[in-house]
Amino acid sequence: MPGFDGANLPTPAEPGASPAGARNGRIIFLNGTSSSGKSSIARELLRILDGGPYFHLPVDAFHAMRARREVSSDELPHLLRRTWMGFHRAVAGMAAAGNDVVVDHVLSEDWRLLDCLGLFPARDVVLVGVRCSLDELARRERERGDRPLGLAVRQFHQVHTHGLYDIECDTTATSAVDCARQISDFLPQRPVPTAFERLMVRLRPDLLGIAPGSG
């Protein structure tokens, strides 16, 4: 382009690092089964949280970007894994650039949490457990009609097996508005070490230079 000299481009940073002078963004990480109410809570958080502005990054949006073509049963698991891995890296990139984000996730496979632990700055993650009763999950699935029946039930005993959260909420009888308020009220008094920091020690000591079993 005539007269373009690149003078206004940002200074390149190391991969995973924030631009010069910028802070890492906060990652509010909502984990729960399908139909547990994560997206509804995320929308309310964007409305009430100060600072930011926050961005809502739902994994469903990444799946929706994919071309609509038939995929073989052999190829599908690899395709889904690549999609999840790309989603994790997009979240990490947004936060590294200084953006505050709200993520809704389903930690129904162990590798997903391990991957996130290797990508997200543990001190900047607020890990939120979003719970809901089995009966209510089944009712919501029937009412929504856009999820395979039984999906939430299959995920129910998998998504919370890591056991640690900064804060938990239960949407069985609590509205998304009230859950979002609970999270917002919790943020200024969040204790350290964070749940992600404790999970790092337990599950990814290799990233901390800790010998397995010594923590």
Side-chain angles (χ1 to χ4, degrees), residues 26 28 42 44-54 100-102 180 183-185 187:
R26 173 179 282 169
I28 299 180
E44 293 300 327
L45 284 170
L46 261 64
R47 186 178 63 83
I48 67 173
L49 286 176
D50 295 327
Y54 279 79
D100 294 321
V101 297
V102 180
I183 297 166
S184 178
D185 291 344
L187 293 180

Side-chain angles (χ1 to χ4, degrees), residues 26-31 37-57 100-105 126-130 167 169 171 175-188:
R26 173 179 282 169
I27 301 173
I28 299 180
F29 190 121
L30 307 175
N31 174 55
K38 302 183 300 296
S39 294
S40 296
I41 294 172
R43 286 191 291 270
E44 293 300 327
L45 284 170
L46 261 64
R47 186 178 63 83
I48 67 173
L49 286 176
D50 295 327
Y54 279 79
F55 292 80
H56 177 205
L57 299 182
D100 294 321
V101 297
V102 180
V103 175
D104 63 65
H105 208 304
V126 182
L127 188 55
V128 182
V130 181
I167 182 173
C169 54
T171 67
S175 70
V177 173
D178 287 339
C179 287
R181 286 178 181 150
Q182 290 173 14
I183 297 166
S184 178
D185 291 344
F186 168 78
L187 293 180

